[in-house]
Amino acid sequence: MPIPEDVTGEEIDKDVRQELQSLPKTLADDVARNLVMVARLLDEDPEAAYGYSRVALRLASRVAAVREAAGFAAYASQKYGEALAEFRAAKRMTGNIDLWPVMADCERGLGRPEKALDMAGAPEVHKLDKAGQVEMRLVAAGARRDMGQLDAAIVTLQSPELAANSVQPWTARLRYAYADALLAAGREGEARDWFAKAVEADRDGSTDASDRLAELDGVEFVDVMVEDENQDEEESDVDVDVEEREGADVVEGADDARDGAESADESEKKD
């Protein structure tokens, strides 16, 4: 797959670069450049990111960072079986349990919410950092919703992290998930309050909490570009109507003039 010339491979994380040092330099550079493309495209074009990840995987399948990148690319492309296999491989190579929550979410994607809940109660969860534990809580709540257990999902999300006033990287998503679960349970008033709290914490626009809040408040947003285009079309239609009327007037005037000229000619002949 083509890689832009400005991508050198030096852009990758230093820890990943260190992992690639086990490879010959030319090969390490090729893998690094493909990993850069995966990172660049993961959000905006998951399928393209997946393609680059497969190239990197073909070149260096024994590098844990490559297996992890391939896992995230497959996950973003909703290829949950492949993603789970890659995450498991990366975990075996490193012994790191940071991927535990996303592995559980892959189980959800595969239609196995019960397995995701089993993982949420596993000893590995206690080894996660705070961000990982919050992520695991979000996955567990999602699994409860998959199983139609709305009240249990709401209870699962109720935690010190949800109640905290301080804003952490996970705060907006946690509040959003809680608001969404409340709304699904028919508790609209509470949901509105929590969507508002999610908006306060969502400094980088990682959720659509503001849109959900506006929807609950009955606010409709007007697309200015579409409105301008419609106005231009209306003005164009008016201009066409005017031109057609003016053209009709000109034709009618010409007909009147011609009729007048013919009447005059006939009068002269009679004289």
Side-chain angles (χ1 to χ4, degrees):
M1 297 181 68
I3 298 177
E5 293 183 0
D6 64 321
V7 175
T8 65
E10 296 295 331
E11 301 90 339
I12 63 173
D13 184 84
K14 63 179 182 180
D15 292 335
V16 177
R17 169 61 69 178
Q18 187 171 359
E19 277 194 65
L20 295 179
Q21 287 180 356
S22 61
L23 303 173
K25 183 163 189 324
T26 301
L27 180 59
D29 289 342
D30 288 343
V31 173
R33 294 180 72 210
N34 277 282
L35 292 181
V36 171
M37 295 304 297
V38 173
R40 281 190 179 185
L41 297 170
L42 194 61
D43 292 330
E44 63 184 57
D45 192 348
E47 287 297 332
Y50 175 76
Y52 284 104
S53 76
R54 301 308 294 179
V55 174
L57 192 60
R58 187 169 64 250
L59 295 173
S61 62
R62 296 185 180 182
V63 177
V66 172
R67 303 302 290 265
E68 185 174 329
F72 278 111
Y75 178 79
S77 301
Q78 300 183 2
K79 298 175 175 63
Y80 298 115
E82 286 187 39
L84 185 57
E86 298 303 338
F87 289 142
R88 283 173 175 168
K91 180 178 177 295
R92 283 196 302 270
M93 291 175 177
T94 64
N96 196 325
I97 47 83
D98 290 349
L99 295 171
W100 196 254
V102 71
M103 289 168 63
D105 205 40
C106 286
E107 296 287 1
R108 285 186 61 211
L110 291 169
R112 302 193 291 245
E114 297 89 350
K115 178 62 176 176
L117 287 176
D118 288 343
M119 294 180 69
E124 284 84 350
V125 175
H126 301 293
K127 301 176 184 178
L128 295 169
D129 60 14
K130 181 62 67 176
Q133 290 179 7
V134 171
E135 194 65 35
M136 193 71 249
R137 189 177 293 275
L138 288 166
V139 173
R144 291 292 186 188
R145 291 190 63 172
D146 293 342
M147 298 167 67
Q149 301 173 1
L150 281 175
D151 290 339
I154 291 170
V155 172
T156 298
L157 293 169
Q158 292 171 345
S159 61
E161 293 80 19
L162 178 67
N165 291 323
S166 61
V167 174
Q168 302 295 336
W170 59 77
T171 302
R173 292 179 60 238
L174 185 58
R175 292 177 180 179
Y176 182 94
Y178 189 59
D180 194 46
L182 288 169
L183 187 61
R187 296 159 62 174
E188 187 172 312
E190 295 173 82
R192 190 217 171 275
D193 292 341
W194 280 99
F195 275 126
K197 291 179 181 180
V199 171
E200 292 174 1
D202 195 3
R203 295 167 180 170
D204 59 357
S206 61
T207 73
D208 64 346
S210 59
D211 293 339
R212 301 292 299 277
L213 180 61
E215 184 180 348
L216 286 173
D217 288 342
V219 177
E220 294 185 7
F221 293 101
V222 177
D223 191 325
V224 177
M225 294 296 293
V226 172
E227 189 176 61
D228 288 345
E229 289 175 2
N230 291 339
Q231 185 175 354
D232 290 341
E233 289 178 2
E234 290 175 1
E235 291 176 353
S236 176
D237 291 342
V238 170
D239 291 341
V240 170
D241 289 343
V242 170
E243 290 176 359
E244 289 178 349
R245 285 199 300 271
E246 290 178 346
D249 291 342
V250 169
V251 172
E252 185 177 349
D255 289 342
D256 291 343
R258 186 169 57 252
D259 292 343
E262 290 174 353
S263 297
D265 289 342
E266 290 177 0
S267 178
E268 290 177 359
K269 291 177 182 177
K270 290 178 181 180
D271 291 342

